[in-house]
Amino acid sequence: MLALRVTRSARPAVQVRRLLVTAASAGTGFLLLSTLGYALGHPWASASAVLRLAWCVVPLAATAYLATAVARTDPGTRPRPGLAAIGLGPARLMAVSATTTALSSVLGSLLALLVFLHLRGDLTGLPFDGVRWEFLAPDQPLPLPGALTLLSLTPLTCSTAVALMLRPRDTVLATRAATRTLGRVGRQAAKAAGGRGGARGRAGSAPTRGGTGGPEDASRLPVSPPGSRPAADGHPAAGHRPAEGDALPAAGAGPTEADARLNGAGPTQADGRADGAAPRPAPPRPSPTALPWGAALLAAGLAVEAYAGGGATAAGLRLPGGLHGPGAALLGWTLTALGLALAGPGLTHLCGRLLQSAHPGAVRLLAGRGLMEEATRIGRPVGVLCAVASGAYAMAALGTDSATAGPLTVLGGLVVAGCALATLGTAAVEARQARAETTAALVRLGAPATALRGAAALRAGALLALFVPLTALVAELASVPLAG
Amino acid sequence: MEAPPDNDVLWARSLHFTHRDGSPALGGVSIGVREGEVLAVSGPRGSGKTTLLSCLSGLTRAERGEIWFNSAPLHTLGPVARERLRRDRFGWIDPAPLLVPELNVWENAALPLMLRGTSRRRAKAAALEWLDRLDVGDRARLRPHELTQAERQRVCIARALAPAPAVLFADEPTAPLHRADRAHVLRTLTTAARSHGITVVLATHDPETAAVADRTVCLLDGRRVHTVHLPPVGESEGRAACSLSA
C-alpha cells in the first residue's frame, strides 16, 4: 500500500519517468508476445523462434536499464530520516522501490497484452481489427500460461535489477570504501591528533556521515553507483555500532538537526538547516578505469566484423576457426556495442579533462570538472546511446538493399533507442539532483544563472563534439565490411 | 520617504516576511548596519536570523519593508539586478562549508573572482593570498573532501573575502565547529574584515560569538528586542524523575 501511495503522490516529472518505464515495458512485452505468436504460427521452425526470442533480450535489457535509472532518481523511495525512524529503513525502501517498478512494468505488460489481443481480433469492436500479421497467429488460440510467463519476464527483470541495485549494503563495505578513499585524511588526522586515536575516530565516523546528514546528504549518495550507496545506509545501521557513539561531531549532529526540523518554519528552511548541520563532502568517485577495456573490445568487435564481411578480399587472412557469416557479424556488433558502453565513462572523463585544461575561466572550469565528476553517471548511458546509434546506422546502411524492416524490427529498434535516450535523460536529471546543493551554494555566492547555464551547455556541447564523430566513425567502420 | 543616515551602509525598515507555508519569519524588523562594523544578529534558533540575512543580502525578497544599500533602494530591484549586486558587492558565508567538490581549494576560493570576470592569474593570486592569511595556504592544491571541517570553513571564509565585498553576510559561520576551531575562525574572520574595512553582518545564537562583534542586535520570534526575558528553565518534576541519581 505504501508503494501505491508513494506512486500516487509524486510530481508530474516523476510520473512521466515512470510512464516511460511503462511504455518500454509495453514495447518489450509486445515483442515477447509476438515471439509467442510466431512460434504458434510456425511450430516447425523452432530455431527461428528461439532466435526471435533471443533478440528480445536486447529490448529487455534496455528496459531494465531504464527502470534502474528511473528508480535511482525516484524521490519517493530515497532513504529519509523520518521514514527510517518509523522503521522504513533502506531494506524496506528497496522493497518499495522494487514494487513501484513492478507496478509500472506490469501496467506496461498488461497494455501490451491488450494491444496484442486486440490486434489478433480477440477483442472486437475497436478500430484496426483487420490487421493480420503472421506473427499474431490469429487463427490459433493463445495459450494463456505461456503468454503470462512471457509477460511476467519484464516486471521480474526490472524489479530484480532495481532491488539488486538498491540493496542495502553492509556497513563493513562502507567502512572499507571510506578508509580506502579517506586514507590520506585519516593519516593526517592521526598526525594532527598526536596519536589520540584521531584516525580511528575519523574512520569510524566516516560511514555514519551519510546517516547523520539530512535528506540532501542521503540524496547525494544513493544516486551514485553502488560503490557509495552504503554510506547512505549507515544511517539505520548506526545503532548496531555502539563504538561510533564517541566518534564526535558527526554523531552529535543528530539532535541538533532534529531540533532544526522542529523549529524550522517551512520545509525549505528546515532542509537548508539540516543540510547545514552535518555537511561533509562525499569523497569523489574514482575516475573511470574501463577505457582500455572498452577500446580493446571496440577494436576487437570491429576486427571481427571486418573478418566476417571481408572474406572475399582478405582470403589469405581468413581465420582458421571460420569466423565469418552473420553470426560473426552479430558477435562483432555485440563486442562493438559493449566496447562503446565500457569506454563511455572514460571518454566522458577525458572530455571533461580536455575542457578544463589550459588556463580555464570559471565557466570552463565548472563545466570540465563537473563532467569529470559525473563521468561514470553520464558516460555510461552516453556510451550505450552511441552503441545503439551506431547499430541503427549500420542497420540502416544495410537495410537499403536488403529486405525492408518489418514492424517488429521497427518496434524493437524504437524500444531500444527510446530506452537509451530516456536513460540518458534520467541520468542527467540524477546528476542535477546530486549537484543541487552545490548549485544552490553557487547561487548564494552570486554566480549568474547565465554562467551556470553556459557551463551546462558547454558540457553538452563537448559531449556531442566527442561522441557524434566517434559514433559516426564506428558505424561507418562497422557497416563497410558488411556492405562490401 | 526618509533618507537613510549617512553612516549606515545597509539599512532596513520594518521588514516583514512569511514563509511560503504560512509560518511567520520576520515581523517588522528594522536594522541599520554602519560602515565597517561587525554587527552580530543574535537570537535563538528559529528567531529569523537567517531570513533577515537573506532578505538583507537580496537572496529573498521581503514582503513588506524597505532595504537601502549605500543610499540606493534594494527592495525595488528585480532578481537580475539583485543577483548582480550580490555578486559584486556582497559576500555570503553559509553555516556549513559548501564548497564545489570537484574544484580544489584555491579554485574554490578564486571562483567568485573568476565569475566576476577577473583574469585567472589575478584571481589565483588573490585566492592564495587569502588562503595564506587564513592558515590554509598549504592546503591550496587539495580537494575539499581531504580537508577537515574547520579548514573547509576557513576556505569558505577566504572565498567570501577574496573579492573584497562591501558587506559580508555570515550565517552562523561557526555552527559546525568545536570551540577551539570556532574561536580561531571567528578571530580570523573579524580581523580580516576590520583590516580591510569590510562590513560584517554575523548571525549567531551563541553569546560568545556575539561578543566579538562591535554591536549586537537581538531577534526573538521574528522581532527585534532589546532585552531578552525568557522564563528560566526551572527544575520540573519530570526532570528530577528522569535523572539517573534520583
Side-chain angles (χ1 to χ4, degrees):
Chain A
M1 283 325 282
L2 181 73
L4 272 179
R5 276 169 185 268
V6 166
T7 309
R8 206 187 53 190
S9 60
R11 284 179 301 120
V14 182
Q15 302 287 24
V16 165
R17 289 203 288 271
R18 288 187 191 135
L19 278 182
L20 282 176
V21 175
T22 307
S25 160
T28 313
F30 189 82
L31 287 174
L32 285 166
L33 282 182
S34 17
T35 322
L36 180 66
Y38 179 85
L40 282 177
H42 310 78
W44 58 88
S46 62
S48 153
V50 166
L51 185 64
R52 281 171 171 244
L53 193 60
W55 269 110
C56 284
V57 170
V58 181
L60 191 62
T63 308
Y65 190 45
L66 175 65
T68 51
V70 167
R72 272 204 303 261
T73 48
D74 201 336
T77 55
R78 191 166 289 160
R80 277 175 281 187
L83 284 185
I86 59 167
L88 267 174
R92 293 290 298 275
L93 279 178
M94 173 200 77
V96 168
S97 203
T99 317
T100 312
T101 310
L103 215 62
S104 12
S105 44
V106 162
L107 201 63
S109 292
L110 286 183
L111 203 65
L113 184 64
L114 277 183
V115 170
F116 190 75
L117 289 180
H118 168 56
L119 286 181
R120 289 181 87 232
D122 292 350
L123 305 176
T124 50
L126 293 165
F128 303 114
D129 263 347
V131 191
R132 296 181 72 80
W133 284 315
E134 56 160 352
F135 60 80
L136 295 174
D139 309 325
Q140 321 263 342
L142 191 70
L144 199 59
L148 288 186
T149 308
L150 279 181
L151 277 182
S152 66
L153 263 185
T154 323
L156 275 181
T157 315
C158 291
S159 287
T160 314
V162 166
L164 275 181
M165 180 195 65
L166 296 180
R167 73 185 181 277
R169 304 295 183 83
D170 198 3
T171 39
V172 174
L173 267 179
T175 318
R176 197 183 304 150
T179 43
R180 191 175 62 236
T181 46
L182 286 176
R184 185 144 57 128
V185 185
R187 280 199 294 279
Q188 282 167 0
K191 216 178 288 173
R196 278 178 297 137
R200 199 206 134 272
R202 279 195 70 79
S205 69
T208 55
R209 281 175 187 173
T212 43
E216 280 76 15
D217 223 345
S219 71
R220 179 149 39 90
L221 292 163
V223 285
S224 45
S228 59
R229 175 89 188 173
D233 301 333
H235 180 33
H240 307 177
R241 311 188 51 186
E244 283 167 11
D246 59 346
L248 17 178
T256 54
E257 181 196 319
D259 286 350
R261 210 152 269 290
L262 288 176
N263 291 339
T268 51
Q269 199 201 6
D271 285 358
R273 219 17 127 164
D275 170 29
R280 299 285 197 276
R285 268 167 305 213
S287 45
T289 50
L291 184 55
W293 287 106
L297 277 181
L298 189 61
L302 287 176
V304 167
E305 277 174 22
Y307 273 115
T313 52
L317 286 173
R318 181 181 288 271
L319 285 186
L323 251 185
H324 50 84
L330 187 59
L331 178 69
W333 269 4
T334 315
L335 282 180
T336 315
L338 205 60
L340 269 176
L342 272 180
L347 286 175
T348 311
H349 193 264
L350 187 72
C351 200
R353 184 168 287 269
L354 286 179
L355 199 58
Q356 57 93 46
S357 60
H359 300 287
V363 173
R364 213 143 55 83
L365 197 64
L366 282 177
R369 291 290 171 83
L371 211 51
M372 284 164 73
E373 181 78 8
E374 302 294 326
T376 320
R377 194 176 288 157
I378 293 288
R380 181 121 329 135
V382 168
V384 169
L385 187 64
C386 281
V388 169
S390 69
Y393 181 90
M395 266 176 97
L398 288 181
T400 47
D401 52 340
S402 64
T404 51
L408 287 187
T409 318
V410 171
L411 178 63
L414 277 182
V415 166
V416 173
C419 278
L421 257 181
T423 309
L424 181 58
T426 314
V429 169
E430 189 187 335
R432 214 185 62 185
Q433 282 177 358
R435 297 177 54 79
E437 205 178 306
T438 311
T439 313
L442 282 176
V443 166
R444 273 200 295 277
L445 271 185
T450 48
L452 297 180
R453 249 177 262 136
L458 200 58
R459 239 172 265 166
L463 279 184
L464 277 180
L466 180 68
F467 277 94
V468 166
L470 178 75
T471 312
L473 183 72
V474 168
E476 195 64 42
L477 282 177
S479 63
V480 160
L482 288 180
Chain B
M1 191 180 286
E2 185 193 344
D6 280 347
N7 57 348
D8 279 6
V9 62
L10 191 66
W11 178 85
R13 192 168 68 182
S14 66
L15 290 180
H16 285 80
F17 187 82
T18 310
H19 285 292
R20 216 180 300 163
D21 58 352
S23 30
L26 295 179
V29 177
S30 300
I31 195 171
V33 187
R34 292 181 202 132
E35 177 99 48
E37 75 168 345
V38 177
L39 173 72
V41 178
S42 78
R45 276 178 178 278
S47 57
K49 304 183 296 289
T50 303
T51 314
L52 177 63
L53 255 64
S54 62
C55 281
L56 285 178
S57 67
L59 263 175
T60 46
R61 192 175 193 147
E63 276 160 17
R64 275 181 287 143
E66 300 169 5
I67 304 172
W68 293 74
F69 171 67
N70 276 347
S71 307
L74 203 148
H75 52 282
T76 55
L77 294 180
V80 178
R82 273 187 285 145
E83 178 192 290
R84 199 178 310 128
L85 182 71
R86 225 168 45 235
R87 183 170 75 238
D88 295 343
R89 310 304 303 273
F90 292 163
W92 180 273
I93 300 174
D94 277 306
L98 278 173
L99 298 168
V100 183
E102 59 261 16
L103 304 186
N104 68 24
V105 163
W106 78 257
E107 284 164 343
N108 260 302
L111 192 61
L113 277 170
M114 288 204 268
L115 282 171
R116 288 180 189 193
T118 316
S119 78
R120 182 182 164 91
R121 189 176 305 150
R122 288 174 60 188
K124 181 176 182 179
L128 286 179
E129 194 178 320
W130 275 107
L131 288 174
D132 269 337
R133 213 169 287 176
L134 291 167
D135 288 348
V136 273
D138 54 335
R139 300 297 174 93
R141 299 210 163 269
L142 298 182
R143 298 277 288 270
H145 73 98
E146 295 171 298
L147 269 56
T148 62
Q149 186 83 336
E151 286 168 341
R152 277 197 288 269
Q153 189 66 352
R154 270 182 268 153
V155 173
C156 272
I157 292 173
R159 179 176 71 176
L161 286 170
V167 184
L168 178 61
F169 296 93
D171 181 13
E172 306 234 12
T174 55
L177 304 182
H178 280 194
R179 280 179 42 228
D181 291 333
R182 190 173 287 193
H184 186 190
V185 162
L186 268 183
R187 207 164 47 236
T188 46
L189 172 63
T190 49
T191 313
R194 289 216 171 88
S195 63
H196 286 71
I198 296 171
T199 312
V200 178
V201 183
L202 181 75
T204 177
H205 67 273
D206 181 13
E208 283 180 36
T209 309
V212 303
D214 300 326
R215 203 154 61 88
T216 304
V217 169
C218 290
L219 286 189
L220 189 65
D221 293 345
R223 288 173 201 284
R224 187 170 165 183
V225 290
H226 294 285
T227 46
V228 183
H229 287 301
L230 287 177
V233 182
E235 282 294 322
S236 64
E237 288 179 18
R239 272 169 197 263
C242 281
S243 86
L244 288 175
S245 57

